[in-house]
Amino acid sequence: MQTIIKFIPAEPLEIGSGYAWGAVPGMLYCVFANMIGTVFIWVFTKKYGRKFVEFFIPIKHIEAFFTFKNSSHIYLLLFLFYLIPGSPKDGFTYIAGLLPIKFVPFMIVTNIARMPSVLSSTMCGATLANKNYLISGLILLLTAVLAVLGSVAYVFYIKRNKNKQTATDSKVLQKL
């Protein structure tokens, strides 16, 4: 349900999963549940299209993600985006169904990319269960630093591609 209802944050559930079942089993439970939610989102997005996505995601955010659409490295970009801890992966899953990508490679790439972030959260929960508060705090701190760095890289990529698109659009308009 967390994947489908995108405004529910995943990290507390992942930490709880690690607390309850341990780091690796907790990660596997989370990844498996996420796969089920992703299939649901994919099927509904393919069936109902942009109108379905707009119910969950503001139009301005949808447009920003279409910079991925024309990339020859779309699966690499998806991998990198899903690898960034704290990025809005579940929201992007809705948009990914609108992109010209295939379901099986999407599932493989994004689920592999999600695992390090989920594992860091479940490791945090497992260390909390063992009362290793210092280690748990260090895991959270490292994850937060990686999230900030990844967010900065993402913003840089989006701005760079918008500038390229604007330049291309200007050239096309000048030719008209």
Side-chain angles (χ1 to χ4, degrees):
M1 289 305 295
Q2 180 279 321
T3 302
I4 296 167
I5 304 172
K6 74 171 204 67
F7 58 84
I8 299 173
E11 286 76 13
L13 297 172
E14 294 166 356
I15 291 170
S17 184
Y19 191 93
W21 294 295
V24 174
M27 178 198 67
L28 294 174
Y29 286 128
C30 290
V31 169
F32 181 71
N34 181 270
M35 290 172 75
I36 293 169
T38 300
V39 169
F40 174 85
I41 292 168
W42 187 274
V43 167
F44 276 82
T45 300
K46 290 299 183 185
K47 184 171 183 172
Y48 299 109
R50 188 175 175 135
K51 291 291 181 194
F52 174 73
V53 175
E54 288 174 0
F55 183 75
F56 295 95
I57 311 288
I59 293 171
K60 65 180 181 176
H61 291 107
I62 294 171
E63 297 300 329
F65 284 110
F66 276 110
T67 59
F68 289 106
K69 186 176 183 176
N70 297 323
S71 175
S72 60
H73 305 290
I74 194 163
Y75 292 106
L76 175 62
L77 292 171
L78 287 168
F79 179 83
L80 294 173
F81 182 78
Y82 278 79
L83 187 64
I84 299 169
S87 64
K89 298 167 187 73
D90 300 326
F92 191 69
T93 299
Y94 283 89
I95 297 167
L98 300 175
L99 297 174
I101 56 177
K102 295 181 180 176
F103 178 72
V104 172
F106 169 75
M107 289 294 286
I108 292 169
V109 165
T110 59
N111 280 294
I112 290 171
R114 281 179 186 263
M115 285 184 186
S117 178
V118 175
L119 182 60
S120 72
S121 296
T122 58
M123 284 174 59
C124 183
T127 57
L128 282 174
N130 293 325
K131 297 182 178 22
N132 291 331
Y133 303 117
L134 178 63
I135 300 296
S136 186
L138 290 172
I139 292 169
L140 281 174
L141 179 64
L142 178 62
T143 302
V145 168
L146 291 173
V148 168
L149 292 174
S151 296
V152 168
Y154 168 74
V155 168
F156 175 77
Y157 176 81
I158 293 294
K159 284 183 180 179
R160 189 181 73 166
N161 279 350
K162 277 187 179 180
N163 291 340
K164 284 182 183 178
Q165 186 63 39
T166 301
T168 302
D169 292 347
S170 295
K171 288 178 184 176
V172 169
L173 288 174
Q174 286 176 355
K175 288 182 181 180
L176 293 175

